[in-house]
C-alpha cells in the first residue's frame, strides 16, 4: 500500500499540556469536544461503542501514557478501520494538540479538506473548553 497524503491539524491551548492530556484522554469527555461523537460513547470491554454523525463505530484507545499519545482506532460499520494519531505535547507553559489526518483511499480533495475543517473545529472546541 502506498503512503497516504497527510495533513497535520493543530492548535495551541493555553493550559499545561498534562491538564490537556488528562482531559482529552478520558473517553467520557470526548463528546464534549469531538463533534463526531456527540451522542456519546459506551464502554464495551477494551473498546468503546460510538453512535454519532458517522453512524455506529467501535473505538479502541491507546492506554494512558506519559508521552501525550492519544491515538485511537475507529472501526466503522462498513469494516473500515482508521488509525487516528493524536498528540498533546508541551509548548512552553501551554500545549500543542496535533492530529494527523490521513487521506483515505478514494477520498476527493473536497472530502479531505472537509475532514481537516471538521478536525480543526473539534480542536477549537477543545481549546474553548480548556481555556475557560
Amino acid at each position: 500500500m502506498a503512503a497516504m497524503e497527510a495533513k497535520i491539524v493543530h492548535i495551541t491551548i493555553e493550559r499545561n499540556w498534562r491538564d490537556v492530556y488528562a482531559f482529552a484522554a478520558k473517553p467520557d469527555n470526548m463528546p464534549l469536544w469531538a463533534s463526531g461523537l456527540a451522542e456519546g460513547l459506551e464502554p464495551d470491554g477494551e473498546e468503546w461503542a460510538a453512535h454519532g454523525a458517522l453512524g455506529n463505530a467501535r473505538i479502541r484507545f491507546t492506554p494512558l501514557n506519559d508521552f501525550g499519545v492519544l491515538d485511537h482506532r475507529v472501526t466503522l460499520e462498513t469494516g473500515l478501520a482508521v488509525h487516528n494519531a493524536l498528540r498533546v505535547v508541551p509548548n512552553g507553559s501551554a500545549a500543542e494538540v496535533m492530529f494527523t489526518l490521513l487521506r483515505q483511499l478514494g477520498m476527493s480533495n473536497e472530502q479531505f479538506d472537509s475532514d481537516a475543517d471538521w478536525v480543526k473545529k473539534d480542536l477549537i472546541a477543545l481549546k474553548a473548553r480548556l481555556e475557560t
Side-chain angles (χ1 to χ4, degrees), residues 16-32:
N16 181 281
W17 78 274
R18 291 184 188 281
D19 294 341
V20 174
Y21 176 78
F23 180 84
K26 292 181 183 171
D28 290 335
N29 288 340
M30 287 193 83
L32 301 174

Side-chain angles (χ1 to χ4, degrees), residues 97-118:
V97 181
M98 298 170 286
F99 185 96
T100 302
L101 180 65
L102 299 174
R103 182 185 205 139
Q104 300 301 305
L105 187 64
M107 184 178 272
S108 70
N109 289 338
E110 293 77 20
Q111 289 169 315
F112 192 45
D113 290 342
S114 177
D115 275 5
D117 290 344
W118 190 336

Side-chain angles (χ1 to χ4, degrees), residues 32-49:
L32 301 174
W33 61 275
S35 59
L37 302 174
E39 294 181 33
L41 297 170
E42 300 168 2
D44 187 8
E46 293 183 5
E47 295 184 337
W48 291 72

Side-chain angles (χ1 to χ4, degrees), residues 83-132:
H83 178 88
N84 296 290
L86 180 61
R87 305 287 192 277
V88 179
V89 298
N91 183 356
S93 61
E96 198 68 24
V97 181
M98 298 170 286
F99 185 96
T100 302
L101 180 65
L102 299 174
R103 182 185 205 139
Q104 300 301 305
L105 187 64
M107 184 178 272
S108 70
N109 289 338
E110 293 77 20
Q111 289 169 315
F112 192 45
D113 290 342
S114 177
D115 275 5
D117 290 344
W118 190 336
V119 170
K120 186 67 173 188
K121 180 181 68 146
D122 286 351
L123 294 182
I124 289 169
L126 179 64
K127 176 182 176 78
R129 182 161 291 278
L130 290 172
E131 286 186 356
T132 55

